[in-house]
Every structure is written in structure tokens, then in C-alpha cells.
Amino acid sequence: MTYENLTTSKENGLGWIVINRPDKLNALNIKTVEEMQGAFLAFKEDMEVKAVILTGSGEKAFIAGADISELAKLDHDAGRQYVLKGQELTKLMENYPKPVIAAVNGYALGGGTEMALACHIRIGAENAKMGQPEVKLGLIPGFGGTQRLSRLVGKGIAMEMILTGKVIDAAEALQIGLLNKVVPPEKLHLTCEALANEMIVNAPVALEYAIVAINKGFDKPMDEALLLEADLFGASCKTEDSKEGTKAFLEKRKPNFQGK
Ligand code: COA
């Protein structure tokens, strides 16, 4: 599949989605949002792809936000529709059945931070810069930033970041938990690959159920969330991979998971 504003590739079980509008610092116009949706859906069905890494082309930007030239034209209804489309993509990413890692290679502002927030894990290059500067444009975050940022880093810090619109560096993003890890730019891809590889040796259905349990349980009261965990644990006990994983341990060999 070829796209206008991104490239995709797959190698050794990993699918790469690279936003490719370097002259606009990989800003997301609506076409790019649609293409990202198409690329994520294609990798979801592709059994060869066990995890996805999202990054931006060039060394300067992951995604420098939604395309401000498009934002400038929105009225009430169009604005609402616009963010609903972006939110559909972020929900697809957040609830993706395979691990999704953001390789944050430079500016991740506005929609860029929001796309990173929708990934399961965020690894930053030392030159990563993150923030939600929408209020500086007279707007608010619309691809999930007001919700996912506070859930990840806490309400007080999210309030501070969103109300000031300030841009923070990689070290601060790491300190508040917005980034999981920070590495030199030249090690970003290798670090993301190594992390993805550590995950994809595990049972695919277990990865999927764990993502569901963490995501869906997060906003529930503890008793309900634990019941959800119990249901999903029960479901994982029924899989062929759980039989294989436990048997392999007892037989002192590596498991051979089939994703069933
Ligand atoms: N939407 C549309 N175009 C964008 C963009 C965005 N979010 N971010 C960058 N660009 C474009 C610039 O307009 C410029 O295009 P041009 O060469 O045709 O004029 C090009 O990308 C390079 O950006 P430039 O501003 O010249 O680079 P810089 O290194 O001086 O500054 C930033 C980098 C990221 C600090 C600056 O581009 C910026 O503030 N971008 C907007 C960030 C933002 O507010 N995002 C949230 C939107 S909701």
C-alpha cells in the first residue's frame, strides 16, 4: 500500500509507520490522519506484524501538531467533526491488540503529543520536545489530550501543561512519566525495536488481553476492574498459548506460541 504522507514497512515482526511531511515538520493534515488509520488497520490484520512503531521522518519532528492551516478554517461543526475523526484514530491506537510504541524523534506538539499518548509506550530521543500548545492558538487539545494526558501524568501536571501551553524537553517528559525512556537520537530506533522484541516473544493473545485489562480497567472502580481482570485471566487460560507457555516452562524449553 502506498500513502501520500506516510511510509510503512515491516521487518522481523515489527510494523513501522513513519509520518512523512518533513517540510511541514510532519504536521497532521486530515489526509495524514486518514492514512494513519488505514496503516494501523492494515497492520492490525497482518499476522506477520506483532507490534507497531510510530515515528516521524527526519531528525527534527515526530509530529509538530495538527496542521494549523486546516485548523484555521474550522467552524463549530467542522471542528467537532475534525476532532472526532482524530479521536477515532487515537482510540484505534490505544485499544490496538498489538503493542504500539511511539519513537518520539523531536517535536511532538499538540496532536503530536496526543498521538504519542495514544500509543502504549513512548520512547523519546534526547531532542524530543512535547507539549499541548493549543491554547496559544485559541483552541484546546482535541485528539484526546485533555483526557489522556491527565490520566497518564496526573491532573495537576496536565492542567499546568495544557493551561500554559508550555513545551517541555525530553528530560522533563521523562520525569513526569510522559516518556518511558530517553535515549540519544541515534539509538532511538534500536531501543524501540529491542523493547518491541522483548514484548513480541510473549503470547500474542496474552498481550492483547493485558492491553484490554489495563485500558478498560483504568477508569473503573477497583472491584469492577478486578472482575474484568478475572474474566480476561479466565479467557487467557482457555487459549492454546497458555497451555503451551505453562507446558514449555515445566519442560524447561522455550514456548512456541501460535497466537491462538
Ligand atoms: N501545522 C502546519 N504547519 C506547520 C506546523 C503545524 N502544526 N508546524 C510546523 N509547520 C510548518 C511551518 O509552517 C513551516 O512551513 P513553511 O516552511 O511552509 O513556512 C515548516 O513547518 C517548518 O516550521 P518552522 O516553524 O519554520 O520551524 P522552526 O524550527 O522554526 O519551529 C516549531 C518549529 C515546531 C517550534 C514551530 O514550527 C511551531 O511552533 N509549530 C506549531 C506547533 C503547534 O502549535 N502545534 C500544535 C498545533 S494544534
Side-chain angles (χ1 to χ4, degrees):
M1 182 74 155
T2 53
Y3 301 95
E4 193 178 304
N5 296 328
L6 54 84
T7 59
T8 62
S9 58
K10 55 177 177 173
E11 200 177 2
N12 302 326
L14 304 183
W16 285 83
I17 299 177
V18 183
I19 309 302
N20 191 27
R21 295 183 81 207
D23 54 324
K24 296 291 175 197
L25 301 185
N26 302 321
L28 295 179
N29 59 8
I30 208 68
K31 172 99 182 158
T32 314
V33 169
E34 286 167 358
E35 289 188 346
M36 283 177 74
Q37 180 123 7
F40 271 103
L41 285 173
F43 279 157
K44 190 174 168 183
E45 300 310 320
D46 189 332
M47 296 307 286
E48 286 174 18
V49 173
K50 314 272 186 217
V52 175
I53 303 173
L54 173 68
T55 193
S57 65
E59 284 158 19
K60 204 170 162 186
F62 172 71
I63 295 168
D67 191 315
I68 297 171
S69 66
E70 287 187 351
L71 297 181
K73 296 179 194 145
L74 298 174
D75 61 12
H76 175 278
D77 290 352
R80 192 168 178 280
Q81 285 310 315
Y82 177 87
V83 299
L84 284 176
K85 205 171 190 112
Q87 288 178 3
E88 195 183 313
L89 168 63
T90 58
K91 284 193 281 186
L92 168 69
M93 293 161 65
E94 182 170 49
N95 297 314
Y96 212 64
K98 312 173 186 188
V100 181
I101 299 173
V104 183
N105 59 318
Y107 288 111
L109 303 179
T113 284
E114 289 171 307
M115 289 302 151
L117 282 168
C119 295
H120 300 135
I121 288 164
R122 290 148 291 282
I123 307 297
E126 283 164 350
N127 66 333
K129 295 218 181 322
M130 305 185 78
Q132 299 284 173
E134 288 87 349
V135 290
K136 293 181 185 293
L137 302 169
L139 298 167
I140 70 167
F143 292 170
T146 61
Q147 303 310 308
R148 292 194 183 94
L149 186 62
S150 50
R151 280 164 172 74
L152 185 68
V153 304
K155 198 168 154 188
I157 292 173
M159 279 283 185
E160 184 183 333
M161 283 185 67
I162 291 172
L163 299 188
T164 59
K166 71 177 178 180
V167 174
I168 61 172
D169 64 16
E172 190 172 351
L174 178 67
Q175 193 212 334
I176 64 172
L178 181 51
L179 289 173
N180 291 58
K181 193 174 197 169
V182 174
V183 296
E186 65 277 12
K187 294 203 173 140
L188 183 62
H189 284 193
L190 278 178
T191 305
C192 291
E193 277 172 11
L195 183 63
N197 286 333
E198 242 184 274
M199 296 175 189
I200 67 174
V201 292
N202 299 317
V205 185
L207 294 178
E208 179 180 347
Y209 289 175
I211 291 167
V212 174
I214 294 168
N215 277 343
K216 296 273 180 265
F218 198 79
D219 296 319
K220 290 187 190 297
M222 183 61 94
D223 282 348
E224 270 182 51
L226 288 173
L227 271 181
L228 171 71
E229 185 185 71
D231 287 343
L232 287 161
F233 182 87
S236 68
C237 291
K238 277 195 339 199
T239 62
E240 288 176 26
D241 281 351
S242 72
K243 303 297 168 222
E244 166 62 9
T246 49
K247 192 161 175 268
F249 176 84
L250 296 172
E251 291 171 359
K252 300 189 188 307
R253 61 174 173 82
K254 281 194 174 167
N256 179 16
F257 293 126
Q258 300 298 320
K260 290 178 189 162

